[in-house]
Amino acid sequence: MAKAYVLIVHGTHDKSVSVKNAEHLHILNPNSELFLVEGADHTFGAKEPWTENRLPEHLKIITEKCIDFINKNMK
């Protein structure tokens, strides 16, 4: 059976969902990686509608992490 790799991303200043939830998901899935973004909120600095030309810094960090995670795990 193939392994399913999971990246769990969570902001440390998320007021909507506790970091403990992300930590619990990580414990339950041995093939997961927990990536906490220090200072990030629930939306990682983004908002709807997004009218800026650049990603918020926290969302940029997450985007780069996702690309690295995919490159590392999807062979």
Side-chain angles (χ1 to χ4, degrees), residues 5-6 16 18 20 24 28-29 34-35 40 54 61-62 64-65 72-74:
Y5 296 102
V6 178
S16 299
S18 171
K20 296 234 181 263
H24 187 69
L28 292 174
N29 187 339
L34 178 60
F35 184 65
R54 304 170 112 188
I61 291 168
I62 292 166
E64 291 169 355
K65 178 63 178 177
K72 181 175 113 184
N73 293 293
M74 306 304 164

Side-chain angles (χ1 to χ4, degrees), residues 30 36 44 61:
L36 297 178
F44 305 104
I61 291 168

Side-chain angles (χ1 to χ4, degrees), residues 7-23 25 34-42 44 62:
L7 177 62
I8 300 166
V9 179
H10 203 92
T12 61
H13 288 141
D14 186 337
K15 294 183 189 325
S16 299
V17 179
S18 171
V19 173
K20 296 234 181 263
N21 290 319
E23 292 167 344
L25 283 173
L34 178 60
F35 184 65
L36 297 178
V37 183
E38 188 64 40
D41 62 11
H42 188 69
F44 305 104
I62 292 166

Side-chain angles (χ1 to χ4, degrees), residues 55-73:
L55 289 176
E57 190 58 33
H58 290 139
L59 193 53
K60 181 180 175 192
I61 291 168
I62 292 166
T63 302
E64 291 169 355
K65 178 63 178 177
C66 289
I67 292 168
D68 289 342
F69 182 83
I70 290 168
N71 286 334
K72 181 175 113 184
N73 293 293

